[in-house]
Amino acid sequence: MRYLVILKVALRALRRNKLRTVLTMLGIIIGVGAVIAMVALGRGAKEQVQARIAALGQNVIMVFSGSINRGGVYSGYGGAGTLTVEDALAIEKEVPGVAAVSPESRFSGQLMAGNNNWNSEGRGEGVDYLLIRQWDLAEGAMFTDADVRSAAKVCILGKTTADRLFPNEDAVGKAIRIKNVPMTVLGVLKPKGASMFGSDQDDTVIAPYTTGMKRLAGVTTLSRINVQAESAERITEVQNGITELLRQRHRIQLGHDDDFMMRSQQELAETQTATADSMTALLAGVAIISLIVGGIGIMNIMLVSVTERTREIGIRMAVGARGRDILLQFLVEAVALSSTGGLLGIALGFGGAKLITLLKQWPTLVLADSIIVAFVFSAAVGIFFGFYPARKASKLDPIDALRYE
């Protein structure tokens, strides 16, 4: 009952100077709102990055060909042509924990269909490629093992490529030409959107890797091998198995560098989300500074309030109020200021996040934990910055307080 009375007295004191109370809370409101909006922006960016990495498939390991040095000039990974079809088949058969493998070759060129043409980057893949990438067909069917063995002139198209070559019509069963090689379209992929690097994943044409190597690119080696581990827990085991197998197959002696490179989905996720985490921390740090400034405003106003109400404090002490009662009185006022500001700040931050998404089309994500943390932090700011003024009030001498004018 005593605490309820203290709360009523505190609220009455705050209502006595409405404008000053609102202006004092403004720092907390802006601070909490900024924290929630900035964290939501950072988390939204991280969620988008994770979604784009997930678009690569589940538990994917990418094995790249090594680099080549010609006259002191390095080609970069993929240029040496150190990966073969036999390497891919060996990985599938001999490495424990491998669920699926797709050898990959790259080609590019002008695609033609009737009077329409489009320049697109293509890739030769194995029959398990769509399974590895978790990419479904919108219509038609995937090529078969028989198509791969015979280097058949068949392909499937990404949605962007299909729309460019066959606007307003069904592409399945139609003929196209890639580098003047006639190809039959077996299927069209469902839209997948932008990759984590910003490129359009739907602007592609996929053929059997044998077709890509023999008929379209004229190469005998692979640019990449896509491997899917059975589970996320076995990715490291699979990577170690691939390394051991390829070093053995490529006769790489102990102490010499690998002539290939591997990247897993987990590594890509850690690299990409680290940037998003840094941005979130930076934005939240800037917002927290404004919240601390708001707390300093509360301390300032509470010190002014103690000075203004010195005589009132003396009267209360004269009628029996103890020092801890005065301490609690002013502390409750400070917490009420910061908590009310925190609640209004939460509403401002939530609305601000939605407004950012609406106006800028930037992804934002407001989670319950950020709301709870922001509110608790705002209350803690009230306690921290309100304690000194409250303690100062509780230490006043009753006689001096009564004499104060």
Side-chain angles (χ1 to χ4, degrees):
M1 187 65 179
R2 182 169 68 93
Y3 296 109
L4 185 60
V5 172
I6 289 174
L7 180 60
K8 287 180 179 179
V9 172
L11 294 177
R12 190 183 306 124
L14 294 175
R15 285 197 301 268
R16 194 178 302 151
N17 296 287
K18 294 184 178 66
L19 181 59
R20 188 170 72 181
T21 298
V22 171
L23 292 176
T24 304
M25 285 194 302
L26 200 57
I28 298 295
I29 293 170
I30 294 173
V32 171
V35 168
I36 289 178
M38 294 302 98
V39 170
L41 184 62
R43 280 181 165 171
K46 183 177 179 179
E47 190 81 3
Q48 187 178 54
V49 168
Q50 290 174 338
R52 287 178 176 176
I53 291 173
L56 292 174
Q58 288 293 324
N59 311 321
V60 177
I61 301 166
M62 291 163 284
V63 186
F64 297 91
S65 177
S67 64
I68 189 171
N69 181 0
R70 290 178 178 171
V73 178
Y74 286 90
S75 66
Y77 284 103
T82 54
L83 296 178
T84 65
V85 174
E86 289 72 22
D87 288 335
L89 297 177
I91 289 172
E92 187 173 20
K93 291 179 181 178
E94 299 179 30
V95 177
V98 171
V101 171
S102 176
E104 181 175 306
S105 61
R106 294 291 184 105
F107 58 88
S108 62
Q110 204 71 15
L111 280 60
M112 293 170 285
N115 295 325
N116 300 315
N117 69 89
W118 184 249
N119 191 289
S120 183
E121 181 180 344
R123 51 172 60 92
E125 297 287 353
V127 293
D128 289 332
Y129 179 69
L130 298 188
L131 174 66
I132 294 172
R133 289 290 309 275
Q134 293 191 324
W135 203 344
D136 296 327
L137 287 161
E139 51 185 325
M142 182 61 169
F143 47 79
T144 64
D145 282 322
D147 294 326
V148 172
R149 286 193 298 270
S150 63
K153 300 176 183 178
V154 294
C155 65
I156 57 176
L157 302 179
K159 186 68 169 61
T160 300
T161 306
D163 289 343
R164 291 289 183 174
L165 295 177
F166 302 99
N168 303 318
E169 59 178 307
D170 187 1
V172 177
K174 302 288 178 62
I176 65 170
R177 298 182 72 83
I178 306 175
K179 292 185 174 182
N180 290 322
V181 176
M183 307 280 284
T184 301
V185 178
L186 297 181
V188 176
L189 293 162
K190 287 184 177 179
K192 210 170 182 73
S195 71
M196 63 180 179
F197 303 110
S199 60
D200 184 3
Q201 297 183 89
D202 302 316
D203 185 6
T204 187
V205 54
I206 300 173
Y209 67 86
T210 48
T211 305
M213 293 171 68
K214 296 176 183 178
R215 302 182 188 276
L216 301 173
V219 296
T220 57
T221 58
L222 301 172
S223 58
R224 189 167 85 183
I225 302 173
N226 300 299
V227 182
Q228 184 181 46
E230 291 177 350
S231 65
E233 292 74 22
R234 302 197 69 177
I235 287 178
T236 302
E237 176 191 348
V238 171
Q239 284 182 300
N240 293 336
I242 293 173
T243 299
E244 184 179 346
L245 175 66
L246 291 183
R247 286 183 65 88
Q248 179 184 347
R249 288 184 56 82
H250 296 181
R251 295 182 173 86
I252 300 173
Q253 296 180 1
L254 188 66
H256 287 67
D257 294 335
D258 297 336
D259 61 356
F260 56 90
M261 181 188 72
M262 276 186 287
R263 286 287 181 269
S264 71
Q265 226 173 351
Q266 290 177 341
E267 292 171 335
L268 290 173
E270 288 170 0
T271 302
Q272 295 294 322
T273 56
T275 303
D277 287 339
S278 298
M279 184 183 72
T280 302
L282 177 62
L283 294 173
V286 172
I288 286 172
I289 290 172
S290 65
L291 189 57
I292 292 173
V293 170
I296 294 171
I298 289 178
M299 176 184 282
N300 182 50
I301 292 302
M302 293 307 297
L303 286 170
V304 172
S305 181
V306 170
T307 303
E308 290 179 344
R309 295 160 62 187
T310 300
R311 189 171 178 80
E312 174 192 327
I313 295 169
I315 293 172
R316 289 191 179 182
M317 287 183 168
V319 297
R322 292 165 295 181
R324 64 181 182 183
D325 296 322
I326 302 299
L327 174 70
L328 188 60
Q329 178 68 59
F330 281 88
L331 201 55
V332 167
E333 289 184 24
V335 173
L337 268 174
S338 61
S339 299
T340 305
L343 290 173
L344 295 174
I346 289 170
L348 178 66
F350 188 81
K354 295 298 180 184
L355 193 62
I356 290 172
T357 301
L358 182 64
L359 296 180
K360 294 292 186 179
Q361 305 302 314
W362 292 345
T364 57
L365 181 63
V366 180
L367 298 179
D369 61 344
S370 62
I371 293 175
I372 294 170
V373 169
F375 179 75
V376 171
F377 193 79
S378 67
V381 163
I383 295 172
F384 182 80
F385 287 99
F387 181 79
Y388 175 72
R391 188 173 183 276
K392 183 179 178 182
S394 69
K395 295 297 182 181
L396 286 176
D397 184 88
I399 303 300
D400 293 336
L402 285 170
R403 289 174 180 173
Y404 186 81
E405 294 294 338

